[in-house]
């Protein structure tokens, strides 16, 4: 969003009547500019046009072409800039500031530059160089000539860490005080304070937000601001006094005149684009300011005599441009200010010098600056810091030009006030406006005033005011009236008026504005009513006052008033300025429809007599206010200057009040300037603090994932070794019975001899038994696990809890597990897929990188799984009893969510029932699973004797758990035939080999069992009990085909469906539903 565009347009009528007279030697004629048609290329000829950097090529690296014109007789060079514009450039505009108070200059530069680099986004192939560096260094440092080369070397040396290969442009200067900021991503939270605090480290106010502003006055400090400016043309320049043409008389604005002035100051070819059909002497229209140029100017103190001509020239050549800056300063008058301007393409100087060496980029005289044009919006404000005192007057006598006067005498006469008289209406209006603005409730009422109405009190105050100024109704010399005003002032204000006399001249031709009070105007964004100037001289005989020569033309009838410097008022003025800025910004958003981008950087430039000297010894007040009103801004920097440059109303008020106020660029003393940068287009905003938080979160997540992976790897290794240790060492085959079944022994509890130690009796194993197969070792570990559980909760207590849960309506009841499975087959006899959730396999390890059981169950429920199996074994498969509860709750929640999303009017989505897959050896385990929320349980027939099998199925039936029997051989199927009808709800034929707990990867084991006579006999006795397959389903490929071919073979062999675990874990999340459908033949 941008502020109202009219606020950004200069009064061009003043510019069109300007003319200049070159004070240097005659300038060579400019050759006509030519533009290529095959690419966006502009070629201009000027005096050493050096640093032209265009950053709007996101598809390829920026190209800088500079072609020397060897045939030129006038010593000129040709600068060619090639640009390619694309619409997919999402590079952010970034300002990043580093700050250091290290007394060593080289170390301070390194610290500040590194801090700024750390606040930039990572370099990319589109942005691998820094477009602009702005440096402010205390004049207390010795060898200022080393600043530029040291900074450039630091950036280049840090390319391996931050990715930026160098700096393209640099500008800056020395200062009596430095303003910088530190990113809050590197500031401890204990040091983050508010503007109500007295100040922070290095004397700077510490404010919450993106950065912490800091100020250092009269102490060694350096501030480095690095800027990434995509789609912005950047050009640094340096000029000397003799390069500035002097404006004098009238001159019609033309392309020739403009280009001559640009060439004389080293800006040839910058911002010379002209629309087709535009007349050569036409000024830019108000709707052509989308790419108005912006100039940051840093003159040396000795350049002040030529500064007015240079500022007028800038406004003449660039009527819609913006100018800001400050005069370089020093801590002591004994030292000399230095200014810097450098470009990697060669320093651009008006006098013809050109060098790309950083060591030749420090100057003791002249003026440096940087010209910017493109995707950059700059808003400026200036605080005068002057409090109005006394009444409002009109000039009744001013100096006149008379024939025979010298040029100096003529300028002095036009800048003189001879006599003034009180403007009663304006004085009363201002006093009433001040009462409305005052929040202190006004003065105490005198005797007799309490009985008056509000209107009567107002009339009484007006009468008293006019009585106080009765003598001022008679025209008087300004000095005489100043002595009268001083009598009513405080001691401090009187002392100031004796040292310096400030007079403000009303802007806008003498009309009273809609808001007469100065602070109220600023808070509304209307700009200043009076331009405050210091009197240069006074006539002791006639009491007249004269302003600096050429600074103003005093006209009779103009309003004026006296001012003093006051710290308390200056604080109110700064706050009112920022309030008006935010008001205008909000109005532009709500009324203008301009969605303004977030500010990316701010420069604060107070003069040397402000800071702690003005604000009652408190440092960092102005930078702190900037941070408070620009919450979230990542960079605040600046320096204390000898004067600030720009328009008094900046871009906030401009000519918005319609009064015709002159808002020209000029030098302001005892003032502060605030400059706010942002992108014009919708570029992403880069937050160093957010980036650090995201990086920390990413690092923490990565560390968490690595830790989880390490834990998974350790669990994998542990269970893999356990499964191998359970079995034989390979030299001896696991013993088997005559029918081919594994011989498994129960754990030997009494295998040790008693041994007494003091009063404690221990059992020491004489010979440790070793399992002969994985199944046997698995059973021993499971028995030990159950023993430990019994020590915590006895069987009697667990049984009591189970009985209470069965009658408690609030407790979950087992659901029909086999019913939804049979229903899923439908009338067509579809092959039913039952997904299984398990963390790992004993042999192969983890099945998933991240086992998020609730998420997996939710996906399976959404995919329409009729039922699910959850492996709750913690010995070999990494599960827990709690997994059953988690799966049940997750499936219920997912079913409710799916029903709500589908908008079903009927029963909606049914939560799939849960089958608990575990090695069950004791009734104790059944009770635990019942309380955990299982709907059905799996019995591994190969691990049980016939009596145990019969016993466990009966116990399961009494507590309403359905039983699914898993077999790996025909003998085990025959064992099931001895059970009564209805003892089991489903039979699972498995491809697992119980000796090693690995799988038959061919899948033939399950197919063989499906075709066996034992299964046929089972079907005859148990009727329609579904026969499911488990193990490598979805992975095994049959007859050279894919996994579906194997599933088809299972179905053809009589399988009702399959429990799919490892195969489902190999499917992507988004393909779960599709896989279930594809496998459901």
């Amino acid at each position: 969003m941008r502020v109202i565009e009219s606020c950004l347009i200069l009064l061009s009528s003043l510019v069109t009547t300007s003319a200049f007279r070159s004070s240097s030697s005659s300038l060579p004629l400019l050759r006509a500019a030519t533009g290529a048609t095959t690419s966006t290329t502009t070629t201009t000829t000027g005096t050493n046009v050096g640093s032209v950097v265009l950053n709007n090529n996101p598809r390829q690296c920026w190209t800088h072409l500079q072609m020397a014109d060897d045939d030129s007789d006038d010593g000129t060079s040709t600068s060619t800039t090639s640009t390619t514009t694309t619409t997919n450039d999402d590079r952010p505009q970034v300002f990043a500031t580093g700050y250091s108070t290290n007394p060593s200059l080289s170390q301070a530069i390194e610290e500040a530059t590194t801090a700024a680099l750390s606040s930039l986004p990572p370099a990319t192939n589109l942005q691998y160089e820094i477009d602009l560096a702005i440096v402010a260094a205390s004049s207390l440092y010795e060898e200022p000539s080393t600043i530029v080369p040291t900074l450039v070397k630091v950036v280049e040396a840090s390319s391996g860490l931050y990715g930026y290969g160098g700096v393209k442009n640099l500008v800056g200067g020395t200062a009596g005080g430095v303003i910088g900021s530190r990113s809050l991503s590197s500031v401890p939270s204990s040091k983050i304070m508010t503007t109500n605090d007295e100040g922070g480290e290095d004397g700077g106010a510490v404010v919450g937000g993106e950065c912490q502003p800091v100020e250092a006055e009269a102490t060694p400090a350096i501030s480095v601001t690095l800027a990434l400016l995509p789609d912005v043309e950047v050009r640094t320049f340096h000029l000397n006094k003799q390069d500035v043409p002097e404006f004098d008389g009238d001159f019609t604005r033309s392309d020739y005149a403009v280009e001559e002035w640009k060439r004389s100051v080293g800006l040839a070819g910058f911002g010379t684009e002209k629309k087709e059909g535009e007349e050569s002497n036409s000024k830019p229209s108000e709707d052509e300011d989308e790419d108005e140029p912006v100039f940051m100017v840093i003159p040396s103190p000795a350049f002040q005599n030529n500064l007015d001509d240079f500022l007028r020239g800038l406004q003449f050549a660039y009527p819609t441009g913006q100018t800001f800056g400050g005069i370089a300063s020093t801590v002591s008058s004994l030292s000399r200010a230095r200014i810097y301007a450098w470009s990697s393409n060669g320093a651009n100087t008006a006098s013809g010098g050109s060098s790309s060496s950083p060591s030749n980029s420090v100057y003791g005289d002249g003026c440096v600056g940087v010209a910017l044009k493109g995707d950059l919006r700059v808003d400026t404000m200036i605080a005068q810091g002057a409090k109005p005192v006394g009444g409002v007057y009109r000039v009744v006598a001013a100096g006149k030009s008379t024939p025979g006067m010298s040029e100096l005498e003529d300028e002095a006469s036009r800048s003189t006030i001879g006599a003034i008289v009180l403007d009663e209406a304006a004085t009363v209006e201002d006093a009433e406006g001040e009462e409305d603005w005052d929040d202190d409730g006004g003065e105490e009422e005198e005797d007799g005033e309490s009985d008056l109405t509000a209107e009567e009190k107002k009339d009484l105050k007006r009468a008293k005011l006019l009585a106080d100024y009765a003598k001022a109704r008679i025209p008087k010399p300004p000095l005489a009236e100043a002595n009268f005003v001083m009598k009513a002032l405080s001691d401090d204000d009187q002392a100031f008026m004796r040292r310096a006399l400030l007079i403000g001249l009303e802007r806008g031709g003498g009309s009273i504005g809609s808001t007469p009070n100065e602070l109220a105007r600023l808070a509304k964004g209307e700009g200043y009513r009076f331009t405050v100037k210091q009197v240069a001289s006074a006539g002791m005989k006639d009491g007249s006052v004269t302003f600096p020569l050429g600074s103003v033309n005093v006209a009779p009838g103009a309003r004026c008033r006296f001012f003093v410097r006051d710290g308390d008022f200056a604080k109110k003025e700064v706050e009112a300025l920022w309030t008006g800025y935010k008001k205008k910004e909000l109005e532009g958003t709500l009324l203008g429809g301009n969605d303004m981008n977030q500010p990316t950087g701010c420069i604060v430039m107070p003069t040397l007599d402000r800071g702690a000297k003005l604000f009652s010894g408190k440092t960092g007040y102005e930078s702190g206010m900037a941070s408070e009103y620009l919450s979230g801004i990542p960079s605040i920097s600046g320096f204390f200057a000898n004067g600030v440059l720009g328009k008094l109303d900046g871009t906030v008020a401009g000519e918005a009040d319609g009064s015709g106020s002159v808002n020209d660029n000029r030098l302001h003393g005892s003032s502060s300037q605030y400059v706010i940068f942002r992108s014009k287009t919708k570029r992403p905003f880069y937050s160093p603090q957010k980036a650090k938080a995201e990086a920390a979160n990413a690092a923490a997540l990565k560390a968490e994932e690595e830790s989880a992976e390490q834990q998974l790897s350790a669990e994998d290794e542990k269970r893999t070794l356990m499964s191998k240790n359970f079995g034989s060492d390979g030299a001896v085959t696991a013993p088997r019975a005559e029918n081919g079944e594994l011989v498994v022994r129960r754990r030997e509890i009494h295998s040790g001899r008693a041994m007494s130690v003091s009063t404690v009796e221990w059992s020491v194993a004489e010979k440790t038994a070793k399992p002969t197969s994985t199944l046997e070792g698995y059973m021993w570990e499971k028995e030990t696990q159950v023993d430990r559980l019994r020590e915590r909760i006895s069987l009697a207590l667990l049984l009591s809890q189970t009985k209470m849960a069965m009658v408690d309506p609030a407790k979950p009841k087992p659901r029909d597990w086999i019913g939804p499975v049979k229903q899923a087959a439908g009338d067509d006899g579809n092959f039913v897929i039952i997904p299984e959730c398990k963390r790992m396999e004993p042999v192969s390890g983890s099945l998933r990188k991240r086992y998020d059981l609730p998420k997996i169950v939710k996906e399976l429920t959404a995919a329409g799984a009729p039922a699910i199996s959850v492996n709750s074994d913690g010995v070999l498969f990494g599960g827990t009893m709690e997994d059953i509860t988690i799966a049940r709750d997750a499936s219920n929640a997912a079913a409710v969510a799916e029903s709500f999303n589908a908008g079903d009017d009927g029963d909606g989505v049914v939560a799939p029932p849960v089958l608990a897959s575990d090695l069950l050896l004791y009734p104790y385990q059944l009770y635990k699973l019942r309380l955990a929320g299982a709907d059905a349980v799996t019995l591994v027939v190969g691990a049980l004797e016939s009596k145990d099998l019969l016993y466990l199925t009966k116990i399961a039936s009494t507590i309403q758990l359905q039983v699914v029997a898993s077999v790996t051989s025909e003998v085990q199927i025959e064992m099931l035939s001895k059970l009564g009808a209805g003892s089991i709800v489903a039979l699972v034929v498995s491809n697992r080999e119980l000796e090693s707990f690995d799988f038959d990867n061919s899948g033939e084991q399950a197919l063989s069992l499906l075709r066996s006579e034992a299964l046929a006999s089972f079907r005859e006795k148990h009727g329609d009990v579904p026969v499911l397959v488990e193990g490598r389903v979805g992975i095994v490929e049959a007859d050279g085909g894919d996994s579906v071919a194997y599933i088809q073979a299972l179905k053809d062999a009589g399988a009702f469906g399959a429990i799919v675990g490892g195969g489902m874990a190999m499917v992507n999340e988004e393909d779960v539903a599709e896989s279930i459908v594809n496998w459901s033949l």
Side-chain angles (χ1 to χ4, degrees), residues 136 226 266 307 399 516 526 615 625 680 719 759 782 828 880 920 1063:
L226 305 179
L307 189 56
E526 295 179 2
F615 298 111
M625 290 298 293
K680 293 179 181 178
R719 284 173 171 78
T759 58
K782 185 62 67 173
D828 297 333
T880 64
L920 303 179

Side-chain angles (χ1 to χ4, degrees), residues 831 833 1044 1047-1048 1071-1081:
F831 192 82
I833 298 298
V1044 177
I1047 294 175
Q1048 184 65 54
D1071 298 331
V1072 170
E1074 183 180 354
S1075 297
I1076 292 177
V1077 172
N1078 292 339
W1079 293 338
S1080 301
L1081 303 177

Side-chain angles (χ1 to χ4, degrees), residues 372-651:
L372 308 165
K373 187 172 185 289
D375 186 13
L376 178 69
R377 171 178 176 140
V378 176
D379 289 315
T380 61
M381 299 183 292
I382 289 180
Q384 296 188 107
K387 178 180 70 174
V389 293
V392 180
Y393 302 87
R394 281 193 181 272
V395 176
V396 295
K400 297 181 180 179
S401 299
T402 58
M405 277 187 175
S406 65
E407 181 177 352
L408 188 62
E409 292 174 336
D410 181 62
E411 287 187 0
S413 65
R414 287 186 278 113
S415 304
T416 300
I417 299 178
I420 57 176
V421 66
L422 181 71
D423 188 326
E424 296 184 7
T427 299
V428 171
E429 186 180 34
D430 179 76
E432 293 175 350
E434 186 173 356
E435 290 179 5
D436 294 337
W437 174 260
D438 188 8
D439 294 331
D440 297 333
E443 299 178 357
E444 295 183 1
E445 295 181 349
E446 298 182 4
D447 294 340
E449 289 189 10
S450 58
D451 298 331
L452 299 178
T453 63
E455 189 63 30
E456 289 173 339
K457 292 179 182 179
K458 187 175 181 180
D459 292 339
L460 180 60
K461 291 181 179 179
R462 183 181 302 154
K464 290 182 179 179
L465 179 67
L466 294 179
D468 292 339
Y469 288 96
K471 296 181 179 180
R473 297 176 183 176
I474 303 173
K476 293 181 182 179
L479 284 184
E481 188 61 25
N483 289 327
F484 169 74
V485 171
M486 284 176 58
K487 296 178 181 179
L489 301 182
S490 65
D491 293 342
D492 291 341
D493 291 344
Q494 288 186 36
F496 179 86
M497 287 192 71
R498 291 189 180 98
R499 294 194 307 269
L501 185 59
L502 303 180
I503 296 180
L505 296 176
E506 189 178 47
R507 309 163 68 226
S511 62
I512 299 178
S514 58
T515 307
N517 182 264
E518 203 74 79
L519 293 179
R521 289 176 61 91
L522 296 178
K524 292 181 179 180
E526 295 179 2
Y528 285 95
R529 180 181 179 185
F530 292 92
T531 301
V532 180
K533 297 179 180 293
Q534 183 170 340
V535 171
S537 62
M540 293 296 101
K541 294 183 179 180
D542 59 2
S544 63
V545 294
T546 301
F547 297 106
L549 301 183
S551 63
V552 64
N553 291 329
V554 180
R559 289 191 180 91
C560 65
R561 70 183 309 178
F562 297 102
F563 286 81
V564 296
R565 302 285 180 198
D566 179 75
D568 292 337
F569 181 87
K571 289 182 179 180
K572 296 178 181 179
E573 180 190 38
V574 171
E575 186 173 356
L577 268 174
W578 282 109
T579 301
Y581 169 78
K582 299 300 289 186
K583 178 179 180 292
K584 288 292 184 180
E585 189 178 60
L586 183 61
E587 287 178 354
T589 302
L590 299 180
L591 304 179
N594 296 323
D595 189 11
M596 191 179 295
N597 288 340
Q598 190 169 349
T600 55
C602 177
I603 292 179
V604 179
M605 289 177 288
T607 52
L608 289 170
D609 55 353
R610 291 175 70 94
K613 301 182 184 69
L614 183 63
F615 298 111
S616 305
K618 181 178 180 180
T619 58
Y621 177 78
E622 293 186 86
S623 60
M625 290 298 293
S627 178
E628 181 178 343
Y629 277 86
L630 300 175
S631 58
I633 194 165
S635 168
I636 296 177
S637 61
F639 61 92
F640 286 79
N642 267 322
V644 295
L645 315 173
K647 302 173 183 179
L648 179 59
D649 285 340
T651 58

Side-chain angles (χ1 to χ4, degrees), residues 145-167:
S145 60
T146 63
I147 291 178
V148 178
T150 303
L151 188 148
V152 172
K153 289 179 181 178
V154 170
V155 174
E156 293 175 350
S158 303
S159 61
L161 182 60
Y162 301 105
Y164 292 95
V167 178

